[in-house]
Amino acid sequence: MKFGFIVHPFNISQLRAFAMNTGFLESVGRPDRMFKVFLDENRHVLDSADSEALRGSRESSSLPVHVFERVVSASGRSTSGIIVAVPLLPDEILNDQKRAVAMVAEACRHCAEWGADVVGLGAYTAIIGSRGEKVGQLSPVPVTTGNSYTVWSAVAGLESVLGRIGVALEGIAVVVGYQGSIGLAISKMLARKGVNLVLVGRGSGRLIPQSLAEVVQQTGIQVETCNSVEEGVGRSRIVVSATSSGQVIRQEWLLPGSVVFDVAQPRDVIGRAPERPDVLIIDGGLAEFPEGTTSSLMSLWTHNSIFGCLAETMILALEDRPEPFSIGRELSLEKIKQIGRLGEEHGFGARNFLSFGVPVRRGDFTRRRKWEFRRSPNGDDFLVSARSALNASGNDVYRRYRNYMDPFVASVLNSLDLEKNYVKAEGVFVWDENGDRYLDFASGFGAVNTGHNHPRVIEAVTAVMNGKLPNFLKPSVGQLTTALAETLAHIAPGDLDTSFFGNSGAEANEGALKLARLSTGRRRLLHAEGSFHGKTFGALSVTDNRRFRSPFRPLLHGCRSVPFGALDALESALSTRDVAAFIVEPVQGEGGVVVPPKDYLSGAKALCARYGTLLIADEVQTGFGRTGAMFASEHSGVEPDIMTVAKTLSGGLIPIGAFVTKSDIWDEAFGNFDTYNTHTSTFGGNNLAAAAGLAAIEVIREEGLVGNAADLGRYFLGELEELKRNHRVVRDVRGMGLMIGIEFEDFLGRTIESPAAKEFLSYLGRDVAEKLAGLSASIVATVFIMAELLNTYRLITHFTLHRGLTLRVQPPLTVTKDEVDYFVESLDKLCERLSVVAGMCEELDSAGWSR
Ligand code: PMP
């Protein structure tokens, strides 16, 4: 079913703008026949600045504005419609209603001829002729004023905005313009919610309309009427305004902290922009398009928002209901709720709010919320207790993430359906709030080798807490901290025996780099191409990723990269004998799980020794059994000069990082009055974290997790290699132990980046296109794979940071063969489906789509 919608200009310049759309349509190569006629007839007038001439030229024509190509609702239904402008200004409509009704009816016929089955009346066209009744009698198809949805969206929007700033919808609300059909219905809805009302109306007939009086009586709320707007808005901070005249509220009259929902067109609040930081003035009664709506003139609708009355018309068309849904002054509250619910089902909604036509920013809401917090006699109500946070719903979690952390990442997670609220984790398993169980094959990038919440780790940490041991006490050192240092001295390769504790992998590497400079007296630092050592300034300076580095230049001076795996290049870089350290991952993690040639690490160590450079082995990701040895350096019998660890040293519970070095190097660097204390960390190695680390090491050894990683890793790789042979979309499988990378073919690459694909994306709707535009093909493919594994097979995975097409696969080392088999089977099924997509891409490519 199709719809029509009648609009009209509010002023001469809008009238001209409507007409100019004709030119726009022409310029995008879609001239509309009816438009053309109008344009030809009126070009001389439109070009003239003479408003009288403009008025005189519009005796009876209605102006088709444009056709919505498609409205696709969230429930998958679709409709299309035409917008027709009646060339009358508001005063013309109100002053000669008879003529206006005739013209609006004419416009309805125009819509019907085009194929519309229902027509919505916008703005003043909905007021005349007993609010749609007369036009309805003359129109060949049913008409609606669309006011029910406007009312619903004003009230729902008000509740949502108040919720965002922490104000309850209670006490008193002011309704300005309560005698109009929208104001009246809003008053009734607020009354039903138990809110007392101050009703402001022209000449205020102390008379309250009968239907409202009935609701007031039923609910027992307090009502006052008032004919001064200034006095009225001074009675409450909650104001809804819906007059038909507009321009009645001065911003200075508003109480501090007011929230005004301005539903009127033209606006009731005077001014061009909000003038007070403590007041929120929201354009009320609007709706957003469902995602996927396309229109050649989408840009005409500010920020995807449309008037509620247009939304109602679209909803009726989507529902196949050619009805005079909202007609007359008295709107049914039941119908208002019904249209609101239908709107939600179809994906309409007030997600983003506008103020004077400009989106209200995140900061505007948070500033208002802080304003409330600071003034609240009981500000603690605003603070979230740990106990309530523990039971937060996914909605709350992601609302907070969006509002107070990272809205961009939140929206990406949301659009890819990766926005899960995990509430419980045990071993390899994780549960979300719906009780769905997932297998974690990402392991916090190696932070939970012992599985989530291992009982031994919990027990160790709990014992420290129950014993009320001091955790941060200076100058002093913890019992568990020193014990962890001793344990690390025993398990670390070669003569490594001295530990320094920080709180993360990056911090461990910062310390290691400083130690190397201090103990060698040299400045330069070498790292490998494709390396990842963390994102703090020092660690970032030896991390090889342009996107991570370039916004933060200049980085540390004297850092340079050499190809990973190439000893001759390393030698020539070291031969200048001024390099303090070569920092390297025994197996590169974020670089895409890259295992170097067999003799690389031992060769690198020998070269470092020859040229007086320290070898720093970054075992942050490879450490603690991940690759099938306690530390990956052991595979090649290498003893680094400094080893950095983190991740699983936390027992998967409490952050900690460390560098471990030889006593000589430590003493050389920090063993004197000048340099001692030149590298410290307040929290580093606290008792709680150290207890978790000690327990994790115990678990790894006692449960034979190193052996499990080696054996199961070998089996897993073998199975994946088999899978690779069966599926063209798998380009490579690499790894060591349970540190595995699966690299996919770039099957989307040429196709998704082609001009044809971009054109196609633009048809999916602006939102989708914008979200996808910034993502490269490799990320799209891998993220799609991640999302599929998560949502279809309940497997948590993640791509590697530098190589988007490589999926890292690293389950906790407690994983079993059955779980590995399940992963392989699931991936097999997914690859089957990916091959279909890849085949389609190939076909498109060969058909010239990519060119
Ligand atoms: N080094 C390596 C090898 C890593 O994989 C990582 C984290 N992925 C880091 C350092 C940085 O660790 P963190 O995030 O704890 O700073």
Side-chain angles (χ1 to χ4, degrees), residues 150-184:
T150 303
V151 169
W152 184 86
S153 95
V155 176
L158 175 68
E159 285 191 297
S160 157
V161 165
L162 291 177
R164 258 182 101 159
I165 61 173
V167 174
L169 178 55
E170 61 184 21
I172 304 174
V174 182
V175 179
V176 182
Y178 73 98
Q179 294 131 317
S181 100
I182 293 176
L184 181 60

Side-chain angles (χ1 to χ4, degrees), residues 445 504-507 509 532-534 585 590 618 620-621 646-647:
F445 307 167
S504 68
E507 202 187 332
N509 286 330
F532 185 91
H533 299 291
E585 297 152 87
E590 305 305 336
D618 179 342
V620 167
Q621 192 161 156
K647 300 208 191 259

Side-chain angles (χ1 to χ4, degrees), residues 71-90:
V71 180
V72 185
S73 92
S75 60
R77 290 207 171 196
S78 65
T79 176
S80 57
I82 186 174
I83 309 273
V84 173
V86 176
L88 292 175
L89 296 167

